[in-house]
Amino acid sequence: MRAAALLLALALAACSKNGGLQLVKEAPETRWRMITTDQDRDRLRNWRKAWVEALPKARAANAAAIAAEGALFEPDQALGRAMPPAGDYKCRTFKLGAQREGMRDFTAYPWFNCRIGREGEIPTLVKLDGSQRPTGRIYAETDARVIFLGALELGDETIPLDYGQDVKRDMAGYIERVGTARWRLVLPWPTFESQLDLIELVPA
């Protein structure tokens, strides 16, 4: 009986806030699993395979560029506190490993503008300029990794798609912190061009 009472007390304490009993809300880290498509579950499940296949090709194409960025291109470099703080960021995209012959194994794009914001209680990531603009939500996963689900906005489009509307535009990946104020969004098996896309984010 004492054990049961102790468990009940702990449960009530966990549910209380400012002295009042609150309904337990669904944790954000469970939500992305409920809405992720089968295609994107496979992408996220096979993230390491994407690195293993894409990184050697990128190194062969431009070893100096890969080496110059240090931890950015190393797959196991998560430092904790993966959720980027809200604010404006500079961001740049790298494409690693060609999907087919005739395409480049390493492409580096210039810096653009990104923003970490909020949609209700869910953090969001929006790339503000450039011809390919990911936009989507960020879901808590672990301290070392958070999940991004979004869609790709192209060209002069002004209304972004919601995740799940077009499988060819859907994007699924994860965000990690790889430096004091340096994050990366890793997108394994993107629909177009490469085997792995990586977007670096640093505060503007």
Side-chain angles (χ1 to χ4, degrees), residues 57 97-105 190-195:
K57 293 181 181 180
Q99 286 189 8
R100 55 184 179 273
E101 290 186 14
M103 304 184 75
R104 300 179 64 179
D105 283 319
T191 301
F192 305 106
E193 300 171 344
S194 56
Q195 293 175 299

Side-chain angles (χ1 to χ4, degrees), residues 136-201:
R137 296 173 178 171
I138 306 171
Y139 297 87
E141 168 74 344
T142 67
D143 182 59
R145 174 176 292 185
V146 294
I147 301 298
F148 172 82
L149 297 178
L152 188 63
E153 184 181 339
L154 297 173
D156 59 358
E157 295 175 348
T158 58
I159 301 177
L161 294 174
D162 288 331
Y163 176 78
Q165 284 187 288
D166 184 341
V167 294
K168 291 185 178 180
R169 298 281 197 95
D170 283 348
M171 307 181 79
Y174 58 88
I175 296 174
E176 296 174 323
R177 189 173 66 90
V178 294
T180 302
R182 191 185 198 193
W183 287 263
R184 66 183 180 193
L185 166 60
V186 180
L187 298 161
W189 313 110
T191 301
F192 305 106
E193 300 171 344
S194 56
Q195 293 175 299
L196 185 141
D197 283 359
L198 188 153
I199 299 178
E200 179 185 9
L201 298 122

Side-chain angles (χ1 to χ4, degrees), residues 15-169:
C15 293
S16 64
K17 183 180 181 182
N18 297 327
L21 189 63
Q22 303 290 325
L23 293 176
V24 178
K25 295 183 178 180
E26 184 181 24
E29 57 266 25
T30 66
R31 298 175 194 172
W32 72 267
R33 299 178 188 277
M34 297 174 63
I35 64 175
T36 313
T37 64
D38 290 341
Q39 168 184 275
D40 289 338
R41 287 193 189 96
D42 287 341
R43 285 173 170 167
L44 293 168
R45 188 180 301 117
N46 293 305
W47 66 270
R48 185 174 291 280
K49 187 173 186 289
W51 274 105
V52 168
E53 292 189 12
L55 188 56
K57 293 181 181 180
R59 279 204 178 102
N62 196 332
I66 297 295
E69 298 303 332
L72 185 66
F73 291 119
E74 295 299 328
D76 299 306
Q77 290 293 326
L79 296 178
R81 301 201 310 276
M83 186 71 76
D88 290 334
Y89 288 75
K90 296 190 302 179
C91 56
R92 55 177 174 168
T93 300
F94 301 89
K95 292 181 175 290
L96 282 63
Q99 286 189 8
R100 55 184 179 273
E101 290 186 14
M103 304 184 75
R104 300 179 64 179
D105 283 319
F106 180 76
T107 303
Y109 289 91
W111 290 100
F112 291 100
N113 298 305
C114 289
R115 180 171 296 144
I116 300 291
R118 295 193 74 83
E119 185 177 301
E121 62 181 19
I122 303 296
T124 59
L125 167 63
V126 179
K127 186 169 179 280
L128 299 172
D129 43 22
S131 60
Q132 297 183 15
R133 301 179 299 280
T135 178
R137 296 173 178 171
I138 306 171
Y139 297 87
E141 168 74 344
T142 67
D143 182 59
R145 174 176 292 185
V146 294
I147 301 298
F148 172 82
L149 297 178
L152 188 63
E153 184 181 339
L154 297 173
D156 59 358
E157 295 175 348
T158 58
I159 301 177
L161 294 174
D162 288 331
Y163 176 78
Q165 284 187 288
D166 184 341
V167 294
K168 291 185 178 180
R169 298 281 197 95

